Amino acid sequence: MYTWESISGPGTIDDLVADAHAAGYPEMNVRRVHDWIAKGLLDQPRRRTRRRGSDKAKHSANQRRLLLLLLDKRQQVAHLSSLAQAPLAVWLWWDGYVPTRQAQRAWVTWVGRGRRSQEVAREGAVGLLEQVGHPLATPTARARFVRIITELGNGKALTVRGRAELLDAVRDVMEPDTVFAASGLVRALGPAQTPMTVETVVGYVEALSIALGRTLDGKVDAALLERARAVHRASTADYLAQRTGLAAEAGQLAHLFREPTLQQQFDQAGRQLLLALGMHLIHRRTRVG
């Protein structure tokens, strides 16, 4: 069987197509490779020059291996935009495989525009609701929560009035009146060291909104993306050092602190980078202000 170990060095675009066919993907062709390069799924090859004319450009061995990973993951996703999380995940965690120029294109592909960016925003809103929503929150409160966060994630500016509305919507799903109004209690999820409160969730949504807005405006350059990666790596290192203790304190939410599988790391790469980018932008804005 043709695997990563079968690849020993750089190769031309014809070699990439041959790799795909040998691995059992006969539908791969030169045109599709070019399309994947444009979307950031693969990097541009390095052109080789000689005294007269030039040889065919070559892709690195790592990019040839990445193609095999992409072909395997392609069977699991409906759209190429979702597949863009594969090179993003590799770029987030492993150096030397995916250059930042490729990650930039993959980032734009993953976020997308129009319907795609709205899908990204809605998926995030629904996922957050599943994480923080109280079982007794009303369907109306849940629908409002998803609508507001989807709108913010799709580029709507977070005004002072909008933040107040967001705060109200988050409180309605986290602390429904039927449970919390009379008691005056405040709901805090997770461990005592880092509880997730209504304000925490609002800050999380604000970070995602800012990052998506900056991306849709075309203002996320290589330096900013690399800074977000550094923030993510640093925060993750801190988290890993505390994870065992956090899980012990989390009670019924201990499952949130389990070590993610490799599949989960790929599936969450875009949103993790989005949050890191947003937190960095908020920190930078606060520092300048």
Side-chain angles (χ1 to χ4, degrees):
M1 183 177 179
Y2 200 77
T3 64
W4 280 40
E5 290 73 20
S6 305
I7 296 172
S8 59
T12 66
I13 192 169
D14 296 325
D15 292 324
L16 262 68
V17 172
D19 291 341
H21 292 180
Y25 301 95
E27 71 279 4
M28 200 66 186
N29 54 41
V30 169
R31 181 177 179 180
R32 185 165 296 180
V33 171
H34 283 303
D35 182 47
W36 284 20
I37 290 172
K39 289 179 168 59
L41 304 181
L42 294 168
D43 189 30
Q44 296 172 340
R46 178 175 296 181
R47 186 165 296 282
R48 301 177 300 151
T49 59
R50 57 185 179 182
R51 185 168 299 176
R52 293 183 180 180
S54 61
D55 291 325
K56 272 193 172 183
K58 284 197 171 183
H59 297 264
S60 69
N62 284 337
Q63 286 287 314
R64 292 177 67 184
R65 297 183 182 110
L66 177 60
L67 173 63
L68 297 185
L69 172 64
L70 290 167
L71 289 168
D72 179 59
K73 295 292 181 187
R74 184 68 182 94
Q75 315 305 308
Q76 305 168 17
V77 299
H79 306 288
L80 286 181
S81 51
S82 298
L83 189 61
Q85 288 200 108
L88 280 176
V90 173
W91 176 79
L92 264 179
W93 290 114
W94 296 282
D95 295 324
Y97 284 83
V98 173
T100 301
R101 62 175 178 268
Q102 179 187 350
Q104 275 185 280
R105 297 196 303 276
W107 176 247
V108 172
T109 296
W110 178 70
V111 173
R113 289 196 172 275
R115 179 177 296 180
R116 172 56 191 165
S117 63
Q118 187 167 3
E119 287 175 357
V120 169
R122 181 174 172 77
E123 287 169 4
V126 172
L128 185 59
L129 175 61
E130 292 174 351
Q131 184 177 351
V132 305
H134 193 281
L136 295 180
T138 66
T140 300
R142 291 171 178 272
R144 181 190 182 207
F145 177 93
V146 171
R147 175 182 59 80
I148 290 175
I149 294 179
T150 299
E151 289 175 350
L152 290 171
N154 200 34
K156 182 178 180 180
L158 185 60
T159 62
V160 174
R161 180 177 179 179
R163 195 179 195 282
E165 185 181 15
L166 171 63
L167 184 65
D168 189 49
V170 173
R171 183 171 286 115
D172 279 351
V173 297
M174 284 190 68
E175 302 173 354
D177 286 345
T178 54
V179 181
F180 291 87
S183 67
L185 295 175
V186 173
R187 188 175 182 217
L189 302 174
Q193 288 178 259
T194 55
M196 182 176 287
T197 63
V198 169
E199 282 289 351
T200 304
V201 174
V202 169
Y204 177 91
V205 172
E206 186 174 8
L208 295 179
S209 173
I210 290 173
L212 273 168
R214 182 66 66 92
T215 301
L216 293 173
D217 288 342
K219 296 180 179 178
V220 177
D221 58 15
L224 187 54
L225 206 59
E226 287 180 345
R227 184 56 192 154
R229 177 174 63 173
V231 168
H232 176 68
R233 286 181 174 182
S235 63
T236 301
D238 290 341
Y239 162 73
L240 291 176
Q242 304 176 44
R243 184 174 63 192
T244 301
L246 293 174
E249 296 180 23
Q252 62 181 3
L253 295 177
H255 65 281
L256 297 177
F257 299 93
R258 286 199 301 256
E259 182 177 358
T261 64
L262 189 59
Q263 181 64 52
Q264 289 172 327
Q265 290 184 49
F266 279 108
D267 293 342
Q268 298 168 5
R271 196 152 302 281
Q272 289 176 344
L273 184 56
L274 193 66
L275 179 60
L277 176 60
M279 296 305 293
H280 171 63
L281 291 171
I282 287 177
H283 176 72
R284 190 171 69 177
R285 184 179 64 183
T286 302
R287 187 175 55 190
V288 172

